[in-house]
Amino acid sequence: MTDDELLEQLKRQGLLDTAAANRLKRDSLIGGESLEATIAKQRLLDDAKVAEIKSTMVKVPYKKVDSQALDEKLLLIMPEETARTYGTIPLSLENNVLIVGMLHPEDPKAQEAVKFIARDKHYSLGVYLISYGDWQDVLKRYSPYRSEIAKAVKSLNIKEGDGKKSVDLENASSTEDAPVVKIFADTLREAVQSRASDIHIEPQEKSVRIRFRVDGDLRQEASLPPELAQPIISRVKVISNLKIDETRTPQDGRFRAKIFNKDIDFRVATFPTPLGEKVAIRVLDPSTGLKSFDNLQFLYRNLEIVKEGLKKPFGMILITGPTGSGKTTTLYAFLQTLNNDSVNIVSLEDPVEYFVAGVNQSQVRPEIGYDFASGLREILRQDPDVIMVGEIRDAETAGLAVQAALTGHVVLSTLHTNNAAGVIPRLIDMKVEPFLLPVSLNLMISQRLVGLLCYNCKAQETAPQNMQDVIRKSLQELPEEVRSKYPEPYQIYRGKGCPICKGKGILGRESIFEVFKMTPALEDIINSSPSAQKITKEAKNQGMLTLRQDGVLKALEGLVSIEEVVRITDDE
């Protein structure tokens, strides 16, 4: 059965329209993943429902799987590599009959893999079709990170001491090196499995602490003997091509590894401390870090304004927000929207996070004089149509970006301000002539990240009275057609916590936006006396959705928590 056939059936069932089906097919091809994987990751449909529909098409019965109920011994029947490669998992073994769950029971290679296991162990074989989400949950049982780390540490025979000893890698045999290599490899796998954005390896006085940042929050994953600090950090340095003997100054590096059949980049930064070097590793997984424009969740008026802005042949689109607010993700999504064979896109980044096919990406190196300003001058000689500048940090870069927009280029970049209305005062503060802004600046977008409620355990409830008041105040200035969608008493959603989200109620993060566009009225303000108060008033006159309003709407749609929206946004 082909992806086209499955998409056609989903359309017949009324679960997808033609545009959504085409986007899914495109994203599946770009991501190099199965259609079921793309559907599950984008959370467009209940993957159990998709599996039920597919089961009727391939004539294989569907079975819901409780991953926690599976016996550990059962998992030993099927190697993890087989389970991952062929989308199969063992479900039960009774009376010499092995029951397996398969993502793609119609796949001849997957069929042959499970038949081989059954023949090898002299079992009869039964097959069910399972959902992508259930398959992923069972795969997590194959990666018992802490127990594997404990085994590797135990094999080193480290005796407890005062915490000041270190393993001498120069004299260590390959047998002794192997556990350190395994500890680090298991750490990378666990980080990818946990959807971590960063790994921190931190030497402490009596341990080496390993922490992951997941959905914006740091949490400890493992604690190792202090004797392992030097060997593990040396291992990181070796594969990142850093100087092993340089421990006094910070170093930056990068490496790529194939994990779970995906090429994932890791960006490494070391930092000297009195107890040894600390290492921060950014996990750059394209399947989670790269989003398409349709996944950004621009709502109502915001969606129309951004689409209109991206169609303009020249001008600046500036995205603002604090560090870690998802600005780069939004920039990459815009790039992918503009990316086609008829457009020459050139980017200046610090550093290049994700590699995008068809985009000419360049990394600035300030230490050799190649910074955003000098790079922007060189870019203009590359006959670009679209220019992406990672960040406008100084007056020189701001002036060059404005000149590029004036000379017929689309310029995408980021800026540090508190909100969208703060972009114009900031650019003027960076010595950009005010009269140049109306003809060079198209869109100003501010954003923040909010925890995305777990699709599996979120439940609807009536908002408490204090939140009813917040929601009512946020909606009162919106058009009637928007307000009428959400009758009182307002219903919100809350993540109860489940095995899929590890009890947090949050699974990923979602952006909230405010989008401010250039208008004749705004041009008059800029050309007269552009104060922050006048610009903010014009934003309200435009009917701009504030960060608070966008967040409240997404809370009412069941995407995010209303409490978190209120916590991170101003009552404007």
Side-chain angles (χ1 to χ4, degrees):
M1 188 194 72
T2 66
D3 286 351
D4 287 340
E5 290 171 333
L6 178 56
L7 284 171
E8 197 57 42
Q9 187 62 31
L10 293 174
K11 287 196 292 184
R12 285 197 202 102
Q13 297 275 347
L15 299 175
L16 290 175
D17 58 24
T18 301
N22 290 338
R23 285 196 300 270
L24 272 174
K25 184 177 180 181
R26 181 198 65 198
D27 292 346
S28 174
L29 291 171
I30 291 173
E33 296 181 309
S34 69
L35 183 64
E36 289 95 327
T38 305
I39 290 172
K41 287 182 178 179
Q42 295 187 5
R43 301 185 178 93
L44 290 177
L45 301 171
D46 180 358
D47 65 346
K49 180 66 176 175
V50 174
E52 288 176 1
I53 290 171
K54 184 175 177 179
S55 76
T56 61
M57 298 176 70
V58 298
K59 296 181 172 54
V60 174
Y62 163 74
K63 186 175 181 65
K64 176 70 179 167
V65 181
D66 181 357
S67 63
Q68 299 305 311
L70 297 182
D71 193 311
E72 291 286 349
K73 294 178 181 178
L74 184 65
L75 298 179
L76 298 176
I77 294 173
M78 184 176 292
E80 180 180 1
E81 188 174 346
T82 301
R84 289 189 181 280
T85 303
Y86 298 106
T88 61
I89 50 172
L91 298 180
S92 66
L93 178 62
E94 293 180 13
N95 301 322
N96 216 44
V97 177
L98 174 65
I99 304 297
V100 299
M102 301 179 69
L103 273 182
H104 308 291
E106 75 282 9
D107 180 3
K109 290 183 180 178
Q111 293 171 7
E112 189 54 42
V114 296
K115 286 176 183 176
F116 174 81
I117 291 172
R119 283 197 304 268
D120 185 56
K121 300 183 181 296
H122 307 291
Y123 296 146
S124 298
L125 186 64
V127 173
Y128 282 100
L129 187 141
I130 57 172
S131 71
Y132 181 87
D134 287 349
W135 174 64
Q136 285 283 295
D137 289 343
V138 174
L139 288 184
K140 292 175 185 175
R141 297 280 304 278
Y142 276 104
S143 301
Y145 175 57
R146 290 182 178 83
S147 62
E148 289 297 321
I149 290 288
K151 285 181 195 174
V153 171
K154 187 176 180 181
S155 71
L156 287 165
N157 293 318
I158 295 174
K159 296 179 180 178
E160 287 193 23
D162 60 2
K164 296 181 181 178
K165 295 180 181 179
S166 63
V167 177
D168 185 356
L169 283 181
E170 296 295 322
N171 299 321
S173 69
S174 60
T175 303
E176 290 170 324
D177 286 345
V180 173
V181 173
K182 177 170 176 52
I183 287 170
F184 185 58
D186 284 346
T187 299
L188 295 183
R189 277 193 288 269
E190 183 67 13
V192 173
Q193 184 77 47
S194 302
R195 301 177 300 103
S197 62
D198 299 87
I199 305 166
H200 292 260
I201 303 173
E202 304 163 311
Q204 309 287 298
E205 192 170 354
K206 296 182 179 179
S207 66
V208 177
R209 180 171 65 175
I210 296 179
R211 295 192 291 172
F212 293 167
R213 187 177 295 279
V214 180
D215 298 334
D217 297 325
L218 269 177
R219 67 187 191 205
Q220 183 165 323
E221 292 293 328
S223 181
L224 307 177
E227 293 84 355
L228 286 178
Q230 184 186 337
I232 287 178
I233 288 170
S234 293
R235 173 65 181 161
V236 176
K237 285 182 164 185
V238 166
I239 63 177
S240 307
N241 293 318
L242 301 180
K243 297 175 182 176
I244 296 178
D245 57 348
E246 179 54 80
T247 61
R248 300 165 299 170
T249 61
Q251 297 185 67
D252 293 327
R254 191 172 187 137
F255 66 93
R256 174 175 286 191
K258 200 173 191 70
I259 298 179
F260 305 142
N261 292 318
K262 294 187 291 185
D263 285 322
I264 296 174
D265 286 299
F266 297 88
R267 198 173 77 222
V268 177
T270 67
F271 186 76
T273 75
L275 296 172
E277 287 180 285
K278 174 191 182 301
V279 174
I281 305 174
R282 173 63 56 89
V283 183
L284 300 170
D285 182 354
S287 66
T288 57
L290 279 179
K291 288 188 175 183
S292 69
F293 179 79
D294 298 313
N295 297 139
L296 290 181
Q297 294 289 348
F298 284 105
L299 297 180
Y300 303 117
R301 192 168 176 276
N302 283 353
L303 180 61
E304 298 166 12
I305 295 172
V306 173
K307 281 186 173 180
E308 177 188 315
L310 288 171
K311 288 177 182 176
K312 291 189 175 180
F314 62 90
M316 289 196 298
I317 298 176
L318 298 182
I319 303 173
T320 181
T323 301
S325 59
K327 299 187 297 294
T328 303
T329 298
T330 302
L331 276 183
Y332 276 115
F334 287 176
L335 277 187
Q336 291 181 84
T337 301
L338 298 171
N339 190 11
N340 61 63
D341 289 341
S342 64
V343 175
N344 180 24
I345 302 178
V346 187
S347 77
L348 273 177
E349 303 174 54
D350 183 21
V352 174
E353 293 202 1
Y354 298 101
F355 296 103
V356 181
V359 177
N360 303 290
Q361 296 171 271
S362 181
Q363 180 166 323
V364 298
R365 298 189 182 279
E367 67 273 14
I368 61 171
Y370 182 50
D371 55 17
F372 283 122
S374 60
L376 197 44
R377 287 193 186 90
E378 296 302 323
I379 276 184
L380 292 173
R381 297 172 186 162
Q382 292 295 318
D383 184 33
D385 298 296
V386 178
I387 300 169
M388 185 185 103
V389 182
E391 183 182 343
I392 295 177
R393 297 176 179 170
D394 52 50
E396 188 177 10
T397 307
L400 288 167
V402 168
Q403 290 299 323
L406 288 171
T407 52
H409 304 91
V410 173
V411 179
L412 307 175
S413 191
T414 67
L415 196 66
H416 281 289
T417 67
N418 290 328
N419 52 39
V423 168
I424 291 169
R426 177 71 179 132
L427 288 174
I428 294 173
D429 187 52
M430 296 173 87
K431 311 302 181 188
V432 175
E433 292 289 350
F435 71 88
L436 295 176
L437 291 176
V439 288
S440 63
L441 186 57
N442 290 340
L443 289 183
M444 297 146 277
I445 301 171
S446 181
Q447 69 177 85
R448 300 289 188 276
L449 286 178
V450 187
L452 183 65
L453 294 176
C454 175
Y455 67 90
N456 185 63
C457 65
K458 68 180 178 183
Q460 191 179 60
E461 60 181 54
T462 300
Q465 188 56 50
N466 62 326
M467 289 301 161
Q468 293 280 341
D469 297 338
V470 169
I471 295 169
R472 188 180 303 109
K473 183 178 179 182
S474 296
L475 296 185
Q476 67 184 6
E477 294 181 359
L478 298 183
E480 171 60 29
E481 63 265 24
V482 176
R483 296 199 308 271
S484 62
K485 285 188 64 178
Y486 310 105
E488 296 190 44
Y490 299 114
Q491 301 298 302
I492 60 171
Y493 293 76
R494 205 176 299 280
K496 303 295 185 183
C498 67
I500 290 177
C501 61
K502 298 185 177 178
K504 292 174 61 179
I506 298 294
L507 195 63
R509 290 191 288 176
E510 184 62 76
S511 297
I512 57 175
F513 300 98
E514 60 183 25
V515 181
F516 188 24
K517 70 176 181 177
M518 185 60 64
T519 61
L522 182 56
E523 181 177 351
D524 291 340
I525 292 171
I526 294 171
N527 288 330
S528 55
S529 54
S531 65
Q533 292 80 4
K534 288 182 179 179
I535 293 170
T536 302
K537 184 178 179 181
E538 167 58 17
K540 288 186 177 179
N541 291 340
Q542 284 188 20
M544 180 188 78
L545 279 180
T546 64
L547 289 169
R548 169 70 65 87
Q549 289 171 328
D550 192 46
V552 165
L553 290 174
K554 285 172 179 171
L556 293 172
E557 290 289 338
L559 296 173
V560 300
S561 157
I562 184 67
E563 287 82 6
E564 190 177 0
V565 168
V566 170
R567 180 174 60 81
I568 70 166
T569 60
D570 296 326
D571 184 13
E572 297 151 329

